[in-house]
Amino acid sequence: MQIANLRRKVQRVKLDSSDILPLAFAGLSFGVFILAIALFWLAVSFSKLASQPVPTLVQQVDGQAFTVRAADRLYREPELIRQFVSQWAVMTFTWGAPPDQQDAPVDEGMAVTGHHRIPTAAWQASLALAPDFRDAFIEQLANEVVPDGVFEGKVSAVLIPQHISQPQTAGEGYWQVDLVATRIVFDEANPTGQTIPFNRTFYIKAIEPPQEPLISDASEYQQLIYRMLEGGVQIEEIRPLQQEDLPS
């Protein structure tokens, strides 16, 4: 008898169909309350984050510190691109000792194709060329531009930039830059110098700069590559500048 009474007491409460709607509404209200609390917490967190000053200091593992600002990963400062083109052109087309420094050591150059050579500075600058373009450019430079007299101390040359245009966007992470310059070549036949116009259009591409600082025991070759690529740009192509594009 006692067991029967106990069973009746523990029987589940049966819900009427009219009770389901109020219970569902109560559960939904509780869920909305929890969601409102979560959204309020996120709003407070974002407000605190937005009120913090933007971080502008980056410090590398070697201790060097830089101030920075937010920018797209493919963005490059126009002045950086212009200086890169100017420095590359000067390094590539300035050879030998100036006429007033004939006692300076003679550059033996770097062997590139067959028995041909190019000046050491030009070889260093070629590290900033895209791999597919670099081989063809070096071959043309060695075969058609650089005279053998450079490596005998009989020929020297200097490139003087006269105008570098503002970079024009040619696509995402691509720019076009026009360079108007003059090459002056000194040799036995032209001791006062022969002037040669050098007007070119450079096509520049953004690349990933080195992510790690240069190691302390880096080889000379590694140091050259690092210096040429740390600006995050590379020369994809060089074309003659059209006559109508020359600045007046």
Side-chain angles (χ1 to χ4, degrees), residues 8-116:
R8 283 196 296 269
K9 291 180 179 180
V10 298
Q11 284 181 350
R12 296 182 179 179
V13 178
K14 294 183 179 181
L15 296 176
D16 189 78
S17 59
S18 61
D19 298 329
I20 296 177
L21 185 59
L23 290 175
F25 181 77
L28 181 61
S29 299
F30 179 76
V32 171
F33 176 73
I34 297 299
L35 180 61
I37 294 177
L39 290 176
F40 178 76
W41 179 80
L42 287 175
V44 172
S45 300
F46 279 121
S47 177
K48 290 181 178 179
L49 183 62
S51 63
Q52 293 180 355
V54 178
T56 59
L57 182 67
V58 172
Q59 188 170 34
Q60 294 184 330
V61 295
D62 61 357
Q64 296 186 32
F66 307 91
T67 55
V68 298
R69 62 180 175 83
D72 185 83
R73 58 184 293 271
L74 295 178
Y75 174 81
R76 299 294 183 270
E77 287 287 344
E79 190 59 29
L80 180 147
I81 298 174
R82 296 177 73 245
Q83 290 183 5
F84 170 77
V85 170
S86 176
Q87 292 172 359
W88 181 90
V90 171
M91 286 183 65
T92 302
F93 293 98
T94 297
W95 320 316
D100 57 346
Q101 299 181 14
Q102 293 301 320
D103 295 335
V106 177
D107 179 17
E108 296 182 358
M110 302 289 294
V112 288
T113 57
H115 299 291
H116 294 285

Side-chain angles (χ1 to χ4, degrees), residues 112-236:
V112 288
T113 57
H115 299 291
H116 294 285
R117 291 176 287 173
I118 62 174
T120 301
W123 181 85
Q124 295 173 357
S126 71
L127 299 174
L129 302 176
D132 295 340
F133 176 61
R134 181 173 184 260
D135 292 340
F137 177 83
I138 287 178
E139 183 175 358
Q140 182 180 17
L141 187 68
N143 295 337
E144 303 177 14
V145 181
V146 181
D148 292 335
V150 171
F151 311 108
E152 300 170 359
K154 298 179 180 179
V155 179
S156 62
V158 62
L159 182 136
I160 303 175
Q162 296 167 306
H163 173 77
I164 305 175
S165 70
Q166 288 293 328
Q168 301 295 320
T169 302
E172 187 178 10
Y174 287 87
W175 298 272
Q176 173 182 326
V177 180
D178 296 332
L179 170 66
V180 176
T182 299
R183 291 176 54 211
I184 304 177
V185 180
F186 304 91
D187 55 22
E188 295 178 350
N190 300 281
T192 59
Q194 176 188 8
T195 60
I196 304 173
F198 183 83
N199 306 320
R200 298 292 187 273
T201 297
F202 289 74
Y203 294 88
I204 309 299
K205 175 185 178 182
I207 61 172
E208 289 292 337
Q211 299 298 313
E212 301 291 337
L214 192 64
I215 58 177
S216 57
D217 57 343
S219 65
E220 182 178 1
Y221 185 77
Q222 290 173 316
Q223 295 178 33
L224 291 175
I225 294 178
Y226 191 90
R227 287 202 299 268
M228 297 305 300
L229 300 181
E230 63 181 352
V233 290
Q234 188 178 66
I235 298 174
E236 286 277 290

